[in-house]
Amino acid sequence: MAAAAENRVSREVQLSMAVSSMFPGFRFSPTDEELISFYLKKKLEGYEKSVEVIADVEIYKYEPWDLPAKSIIQSDNEWFFFSLVERSTQT
């Protein structure tokens, strides 16, 4: 049953990506609650296909102006990434 839900979401993500590139004005615009309760939760549970619309990027390795090109869904002013938080070794 989990596999069926995973495939369904994956198709939805693919459709969302296709629609966003075809129709001007269409936006991927999840709320903070949706980002945490759906996307981050699915990522932590291992449902990678459910969150493939958000790229894994080590944002600390890139200059800010290089990050928009790393986003899966292109936008003029908003980009979404999963990134591990690096802990400072300084005390």
Side-chain angles (χ1 to χ4, degrees):
M1 187 144 131
E6 187 173 306
N7 287 336
R8 179 181 56 82
V9 172
S10 181
R11 275 185 261 135
E12 289 172 359
V13 167
Q14 290 172 2
L15 180 60
S16 175
M17 289 170 40
V19 168
S20 68
S21 65
M22 291 174 23
F23 299 107
F26 180 84
R27 303 283 188 271
F28 175 73
S29 186
T31 64
D32 290 345
E33 182 177 339
E34 291 167 334
L35 286 168
I36 293 168
S37 64
F38 181 80
Y39 293 98
L40 182 58
K41 183 178 177 187
K42 293 290 185 189
K43 174 83 170 166
L44 295 173
E45 292 173 346
Y47 294 104
E48 295 296 321
K49 292 281 188 187
S50 299
V51 295
E52 60 190 9
V53 70
I54 301 176
D56 281 306
V57 176
E58 295 181 50
I59 60 173
Y60 305 105
K61 292 186 176 183
Y62 298 96
E63 296 294 336
W65 49 84
D66 293 331
L67 288 171
K70 304 288 180 196
S71 180
I72 293 174
I73 293 182
Q74 297 298 307
S75 170
D76 291 335
N77 59 0
E78 191 172 50
W79 307 275
F80 295 90
F81 304 103
F82 286 117
S83 184
L84 293 176
V85 175
E86 292 184 2
R87 294 182 183 202
S88 174
T89 57
Q90 299 174 353
T91 55

